Amino acid sequence: MSSVRGLHTDILVIGGGAAGMAAAAGAAAAGASVLLADERPVLGGVLPQCIHQGFGLGYYNQDLTGPEYCAREEARFLASGASYLPSARVTELRPDRTALLSSPEGLCECSFDQCVLATGCRERPLSSLGVAGTRPSGIYTAGEAQELLNLGHYDIGSRVVILGSGDIGQIMARRLVLTGRTVVAMAEIKGSLGGMKRNHEECIRAYHIPVIFHATVTAVHGYPALTAVTLHHLDTGADETVPCDTLITALGLIPETSLAEPLRSGDGYPAWLHLCGNADHIHEIVDSVTTEALRLGRSLVKSH
Ligand SMILES: Cc1cc2nc3c(=O)[nH]c(=O)nc-3n(C[C@H](O)[C@H](O)[C@H](O)COP(=O)(O)OP(=O)(O)OC[C@H]3O[C@@H](n4cnc5c(N)ncnc54)[C@H](O)[C@@H]3O)c2cc1C
């Protein structure tokens, strides 16, 4: 006898960040049975760790923190009648419209009519660059550092080099200064900062973050803990050893679509599979994530 539980829902939503919550709420409010599964124990995806303001200016016309924005979206989701499975990771999506879910209750097979993939994005790691040296502790992506610092209250070091100048790196640079740490340098390979203009003003200039343009990290030093990085200046060709105990990378985001890839054919994804939020394309601000996902959720019921 199989020990795998079986479930059926009209619409399975994978991921409970801003995108998944809005898509699920839109579809459930329009009358579909909806099940949202998220691997984390709480809703919100990246929102709970984004304790800075800057969320909701477009959608709510208010300057909210990530957790405040999350609370509003969670309230709408919970009121919509959609079902919610926390700590449930979808490990497989199959062409016969079933998904395998793994949770503390065991394995579960869910059949569905339509599926919304709202699995967010991944951060490009240091290993995506050809960086020489040891693999010491003290190296994080910006999102990992944000989660460790803001949600876990871990000590992630005191002298920090940031490689790359994407939005999350800039927001983390400010957060590190505000928590008493020193940002020794932010190294950017291009000649200008990445990310949104408002972060250049509010995070970099306001907190006097030393940005070194046309520079990258080519080696890390120290073992078992990081002690320094080699900064290579592309304009002069010079190498500089920069002592630090933490290296944070902000090298860009990649949509997380690994569950969908085995289903892709020459015609793209199957008609029953719908991508939204950062899994579809990287959104700078959450407001457009919510608007697009709500619209998607409602449209699925009309076409159902
Ligand atoms: C550091 C940072 C700062 C930002 N600052 C701002 C800002 O100031 N203003 C603003 O408007 N926007 C900001 N944004 C952008 C905005 O927050 C995001 O674009 C938006 O929240 C992304 O929502 P999402 O639902 O697509 O992804 P996510 O929030 O990443 O949610 C995806 C969810 O899917 C889950 N998941 C993934 N795979 C599986 C699986 N196989 N099974 C089950 N669950 C799975 C993940 O655990 C996660 O909970 C920021 C983003 C970041 C990362």
Side-chain angles (χ1 to χ4, degrees), residues 127-199:
S127 55
S128 66
L129 309 177
V131 173
T134 54
R135 286 296 175 263
S137 62
I139 302 176
Y140 311 95
T141 64
E144 281 168 359
Q146 187 181 54
E147 188 173 359
L148 287 169
L149 196 60
N150 293 350
L151 294 183
H153 307 289
Y154 288 97
D155 181 4
I156 60 158
S158 56
R159 290 182 60 79
V160 185
V161 169
I162 302 178
L163 175 59
S165 66
D167 283 319
I168 317 179
Q170 295 184 42
I171 286 163
M172 279 310 291
R174 173 179 63 185
R175 181 80 185 124
L176 291 162
V177 172
L178 285 172
T179 54
R181 294 164 170 90
T182 303
V183 177
V184 185
M186 173 178 269
E188 168 55 55
I189 200 162
K190 294 186 189 150
S192 59
L193 285 168
M196 291 186 283
K197 277 216 172 73
R198 76 171 190 219
N199 285 331

Side-chain angles (χ1 to χ4, degrees), residues 13 30 50 87-88 93 100 158 186 209 233 251:
V13 177
C50 296
S87 305
L93 256 187
L100 194 63
S158 56
M186 173 178 269
I209 305 297
H233 296 269
L251 299 171

Side-chain angles (χ1 to χ4, degrees), residues 249-270:
T249 55
L251 299 171
L253 304 171
I254 310 161
E256 173 51 70
T257 57
S258 50
L259 279 174
E261 290 318 312
L263 300 165
R264 193 199 273 274
S265 69
D267 303 327
Y269 297 121

